[in-house]
Amino acid sequence: MSAAATPLPSTTDSAAEKSSTESLIRANLPLVGHLVREISSRLPSHVNRDDLTSAGMMALVTSAQGFDDSRGVPFARFATIRIRGALTDELRSMAWAISSRRGVRPR
C-alpha cells in the first residue's frame, strides 16, 4: 500500500465529527446521482458519466468536510452548489480533448 492511500491520523477531528461527516456523505449520495443525470441529459452521449460521478463524489466529500452547520444553510443546498461546480470543472477539463478532436483551438 502506498503512503498516499493511507489516511493520516488527524488530531483535530474527533470521532463524533468523523461520524457526522460520514453520515452526511451517506445520506446525500443520491444527490450526486441526481445532479449527474440532470447535467448529462444535456450532454453528448460520448461524455463519460462515470467521470462526472467521480468528480461529484469527491465534491460531496469535500462539502461534508467543510460544512459549517452554524451558518444556517441546509447541507443539501451547500453540497449542490459545490457538486455542480465540480461537474462544471470536470466538463471543462474534458473540453480540451473534445476541441482537439474537432480541430478547434481553446480560447
Side-chain angles (χ1 to χ4, degrees):
M1 187 183 303
S2 69
T6 306
L8 298 174
S10 175
T11 57
T12 59
D13 288 341
S14 69
E17 288 174 357
K18 287 181 184 179
S19 175
S20 173
T21 300
E22 287 180 16
S23 65
L24 281 174
I25 293 168
R26 289 180 195 274
N28 289 281
L29 282 174
L31 179 62
V32 174
H34 169 73
L35 293 171
V36 168
R37 279 189 303 277
E38 182 181 272
I39 287 179
S40 65
S41 68
R42 296 175 283 171
L43 296 173
S45 61
H46 68 272
V47 174
N48 191 347
R49 211 168 134 177
D50 291 339
D51 290 341
L52 294 176
T53 302
S54 178
M57 294 291 184
M58 287 300 299
L60 177 63
V61 170
T62 58
S63 297
Q65 292 170 342
F67 181 63
D68 182 6
D69 194 29
S70 68
R71 293 184 178 233
V73 177
F75 178 74
R77 186 178 304 160
F78 175 75
T80 296
I81 293 167
R82 303 277 303 259
I83 294 167
R84 279 195 178 127
L87 296 177
T88 302
D89 288 345
E90 182 66 22
L91 288 170
R92 286 181 182 145
S93 74
M94 292 177 188
W96 72 268
I98 295 168
S99 298
S100 66
R101 192 175 338 157
R102 291 189 327 223
V104 176
R105 288 185 160 179
R107 295 181 187 187

